Amino acid sequence: MSVEHLTTAQARSDKTPLCVDLDGTLIHGDLLYEAVFAALKRSPGATFELLGAMLQGRLAVKHVLARVAPFDPALLPYRIDLVEYLRQERAMGRPIHLVTASPTAWAEQVAAHLGIFDAVYGSESVNLKGAAKARFLAESHPDGYDYIGDAKADLHVWNGSRRVLRAGRGTRLQLADAKTSHRDFPTNVFPPLPLLRAMRPHQWLKNLLIFLPLCAAHQIDNLGLVIDSAFAFIAFSLAASATYLFNDLLDIPSDRAHPRKRTRPFASGALSIPKGVAGGAILFGAALVIAALIGVGFFVVLICYILLTVAYSVRLKASMLIDVFTLATLYSVRVIAGGAATGVPLSVWLLAFSMFLFLALAIVKRCAELVDRTKAVNERISGRGYFGGDLSVLQSLGSGSSFSAVLVLSLYAAQPEVTRLYANPALLWFIGPILLYWLSRMMLLAQRGHMHDDPIVFALRERKSQILILVCGLVALAAVKLDMPMGLILPGQ
């Protein structure tokens, strides 16, 4: 009779220990790789300590990471079907052992959280992986054991086990001729194409700001400059996706504590960290090659964008107010990049307007996050430099930035030199109230908890925002083409 059809009485009599691997088996993901990025974010100086440990071997690296990279076992992405199976087996009296190559301290934390393991074994003096794990289990379990694993290294362990149980990618491994799988726990709960999702292609919409200098200079009909901007858009999009991957690698712990971000590919375990690192490196390389072909100026701007984004991900995003000013700068850098790629000079008015406008939008983004993660007034938001009671202050700053952006636009429309670009620049003044209404509406939507994306991406997707943006564009076009007496536009002038 197949072991899958054992009666309950027979199952209860099975006292063979069931040994379970941790990384990739009990949880989606690998604690070792996660700990590397957690250590870099928590203490960048740990990089040198890790490099020194690497010279001593993998076990030394694990000991360093176990000390400098704590984690919350309650937030780990457990393989739910496997955990439930282990609970059932233990309820029938079967010993359940956690046997992992991760440091013993990590394994003990996981075991304490789940409360289903009778024994815990991790790496101490020996890296408990592959052949070393097989030898250890053969010596410590002379009467036999069953083993659940997921990796190629587990083939050594399965060869010495009584029964083979496979999880995750291990379900695709070819077992020895004498072995068959007793039970599989495949990974089939994640949406497809996790790497593409982690790249966040929908965020590429923000890079349309690269075309803003052409629009402001009325050069959008210049095919050569449009092509230059298009290549700049591609380079920026690839670089941005690479930085999103890097940011998400650093944010795995805080993303898991977030109500929506916990489903991101790295946080959920849908995307392995090695694949993400490789993908990010390829994206960075492609972006830099395209940037170099565009020109030195654009290449320098892109490098500055990458460095600022990395600084934001590592440190600045957790700094009160510095984070929103950095976000506003990153938006503005896209405009500067557009000018650098095409050689179109940027006016002080455009830069000032962009900075105030993007500061307002950055504050809207942070307000939305604070509303989304409601905390007590004196309770700090995980991964951020704000407390629950800071929302009203940020809203005031956002309103001030909105008014400042509109004021800059109004002052620009009053400049004598604007007449060279617009047949009737007075029409630009009508954009001010529309823009102020849109920014105020965005702030209210954030306050109500309806803002679940980057404000620019949200605006380009939301119908009312699309209409308002279209109206502003038509007004600007009319200011270029429509030559009307001032008195017909502004009565009393």
Side-chain angles (χ1 to χ4, degrees), residues 212 332 347-360 401-402 404-410 412 431-432 435 439:
L212 185 58
S332 298
S347 70
V348 174
W349 293 103
L350 178 59
L351 293 176
F353 171 75
S354 299
M355 193 63 193
F356 281 120
L357 174 65
F358 298 141
L359 179 59
S401 297
S402 301
S404 297
V406 173
L407 176 61
V408 170
L409 177 63
S410 301
Y412 168 73
I431 296 178
L435 181 61
L439 289 170

Side-chain angles (χ1 to χ4, degrees), residues 175-213:
L175 299 174
D177 293 338
K179 296 290 183 179
T180 58
S181 177
H182 171 65
R183 180 162 179 172
D184 286 346
F185 299 88
T187 299
N188 54 8
V189 296
F190 296 121
L193 303 176
L195 179 58
L196 182 61
R197 289 192 298 116
M199 289 168 57
R200 303 189 215 173
H202 65 282
Q203 295 283 4
W204 294 352
L205 290 172
K206 292 187 292 187
N207 298 326
L208 292 173
L209 292 170
I210 286 174
F211 293 90
L212 185 58

